[in-house]
Amino acid sequence: MSLTVKPIVGMEIHIELATQTKIFCRCRNQFGASPNTHTCPVCIGLPGALPVLNAQAIDYSIKVGLALGCDIAKFTKWDRKNYYYPDLPKAYQISQYDLPLAGPGTLDIPLESGSKTIRVLRAHLEEDAGKLNHDIPGGTGVDLNRAGVPLLEIVSEPDLNTVEEVVSYAKTMHRLIRWLKVSEANMQMGHMRFEPNINLHITQDGVVYKTPIIEVKNLNSFRSVEGAVRYEIRRQFEEWKKDPEGFSLAKRGKQNRGFDPDTEETVFQRDKEEAHDYRYFPDPDLMPVTISDEKRDGIAATIGELPLARRARYMADYGLEFKNADALTMDEATGDLLDGAIGLGADAKRCVNFLLSRGAAIANERGCAIAAIGITAEQLAGLAKLVDDGKVSASAAAKVFDAMIESGDAPAAVAEAAGLMMVTDTAQTEAWVDQAIAENPEAVEMIQTGHKKAGASLGFLTGAVMKLSRGAANAKEVQQMLKEKIEK
Ligand SMILES: [Zn+2]
């Protein structure tokens, strides 16, 4: 008996674009305001109010489409998706049905074993709905501040086959969206919401069984994405085992489920509608959109180097391992900082080490990107050169790094002020060496008698001198001097 289980996952991602105003009215697009303070007749759906397109939403969407290698439609239009829900007072959502703004394209995702290219089917624009607040005593509140916020929906092909691939796709897309600065992509604020479509292709003795497709709605953390997909794979397999013939896509259709992060389980919500249930038709209130080649090319020219290309360049040009190159391309500014310092003549590896040791530690403490800790390319390059020129020791450099972030001063000035410049003054080094010898007669004796701990003792004395000098002495020079003095 043979049995193979292959998860088939496609992903829909909703991204709230960071335009100043909403997509079809002039209300502000702002998270966290008092309920219903950013609303007007258009976005609360009063009869007779006419929508007017915000061109910025189109430009941002074109930018994302181009970054995914999509074709950009020269002609696109708006359609009404009809359904009733309390957060949608018009009883239709303005969306794009048969003529999406962008598609098809691809996104390469990193994996433990290498990488994989995921096909993107389409990207289209629509308006977000409002938000229901169930935490109000005695009822449910409706907040329409979010109604009409531009929402870009990116739909992948079902090319994802493992939990790792699904999470990597979500993370890679998140990084790209932030990089392009088209959305804050703050997951806690719901700027980016993931909806994986999951089913299994189970092959038993040559027969393929397809389980019903489950769409898990509104996941707003990578953890939830991971938990929901992991749970669905297990659940669907268990259901299938109970009834291999009956638990099938053909018999059960598609379903929507939600994810409960506390129990880490998905729960049934409703059977999934088909497109014809929404009675899509073109919106008569909005003009179709035409996009010229000039417009598209103009936006393409603003994109610059994307994170994947930059990561590959760091590996090829600076000899970085994947992990380090990846960490330095989490955001655009951190890589810009590195490139800036190298451009000023600093050694690449040394700059990388500073950024990924002290830089990453400080960023981690503050919960920010490495570039946001307050260091400039000039400071970074300056510090790297001080170490290369033998003016600051490696251990002292970490202290200079921290101090120059605090003060904003040049590394040389910081090192001088803190007495961290390597001491090339032989008389000063000799004084420290003499002091260490005087204070540690036992260690000295072990070296003189050739005790088995002689080597360790020399190391101990060197450390004592470095301590006296607060890291400013040249360790090699110190060791040489210790040997000469003790053996004399
Ligand atoms: Zn409005």
Side-chain angles (χ1 to χ4, degrees), residues 22 24-28 38-44 144 147-148:
K22 294 185 182 181
F24 297 120
C25 64
R26 303 295 304 273
C27 291
R28 282 192 59 195
H38 295 316
T39 54
C40 72
V42 173
C43 57
I44 66 175
L144 295 175

Side-chain angles (χ1 to χ4, degrees), residues 184-358:
E184 288 172 51
N186 182 321
M187 314 258 271
Q188 276 153 348
M189 294 183 186
H191 290 155
M192 210 159 165
R193 311 192 290 267
F194 300 93
E195 303 192 333
N197 283 263
I198 308 150
N199 81 332
L200 305 179
H201 287 189
I202 302 169
T203 310
Q204 188 177 42
D205 298 329
V207 181
V208 181
Y209 300 85
K210 296 178 181 174
T211 62
I213 296 173
I214 299 299
E215 179 165 320
V216 186
K217 306 298 286 184
N218 268 327
L219 301 170
N220 61 2
S221 71
F222 298 130
R223 223 184 151 154
S224 295
V225 169
E226 180 174 353
V229 174
R230 197 180 293 286
Y231 179 80
E232 267 307 308
I233 290 171
R234 205 173 56 227
R235 187 189 69 83
Q236 292 183 27
F237 183 60
E238 293 302 323
E239 290 290 320
W240 173 82
K241 275 200 294 192
K242 285 183 221 160
D243 181 10
E245 299 298 334
F247 189 69
S248 73
L249 179 58
K251 291 193 178 156
R252 304 281 181 97
K254 300 177 184 177
Q255 259 184 20
N256 288 346
R257 294 176 77 93
F259 180 68
D260 181 343
D262 294 328
T263 61
E264 302 226 317
E265 292 178 359
T266 65
V267 279
F268 174 77
Q269 287 178 330
R270 57 189 163 84
D271 290 319
K272 194 167 157 53
E273 292 82 1
E274 295 297 329
H276 60 252
D277 295 330
Y278 289 117
R279 294 168 25 260
Y280 279 100
F281 65 86
D283 192 305
D285 290 341
L286 281 161
M287 296 281 286
V289 179
T290 52
I291 297 161
S292 67
D293 291 350
E294 291 73 36
K295 170 99 169 166
R296 185 199 59 207
D297 295 346
I299 292 171
T302 67
I303 290 180
E305 187 180 37
L306 291 171
L308 282 188
R310 180 172 280 189
R311 188 172 61 207
R313 175 166 67 81
Y314 284 0
M315 292 169 75
D317 291 3
Y318 305 154
L320 301 189
E321 286 173 33
F322 176 87
K323 204 179 93 197
N324 290 344
D326 195 55
L328 290 165
T329 49
M330 288 306 287
D331 61 290
E332 193 175 23
T334 299
D336 287 349
L337 177 63
L338 175 66
D339 286 338
I342 294 168
L344 291 168
D347 178 67
K349 281 251 162 80
R350 208 174 283 289
C351 292
V352 167
N353 285 341
F354 286 139
L355 290 178
L356 292 180
S357 53
R358 283 310 299 153

Side-chain angles (χ1 to χ4, degrees), residues 389-393 421-425 429 432-433 462 465-466 469 471-481:
D389 294 348
K391 291 182 177 156
V392 168
S393 73
M421 281 296 222
M422 191 99 79
V423 171
T424 45
D425 173 357
T429 306
W432 285 322
V433 167
T462 308
V465 174
M466 293 309 289
S469 75
N474 182 329
K476 245 187 207 160
E477 196 184 15
V478 168
Q479 206 162 45
Q480 194 57 41
M481 207 179 272

Side-chain angles (χ1 to χ4, degrees), residues 107 109-111 163-173:
L107 184 67
I109 59 168
L111 300 169
V163 174
E164 186 203 3
E165 289 177 12
V166 175
V167 174
S168 180
Y169 179 77
K171 287 184 173 174
T172 305
M173 193 68 86

Side-chain angles (χ1 to χ4, degrees), residues 5-20:
V5 180
K6 186 177 188 189
I8 309 285
V9 184
M11 182 89 94
E12 293 176 13
I13 305 179
H14 289 97
I15 299 149
E16 280 188 1
L17 300 177
T19 51
Q20 291 290 309

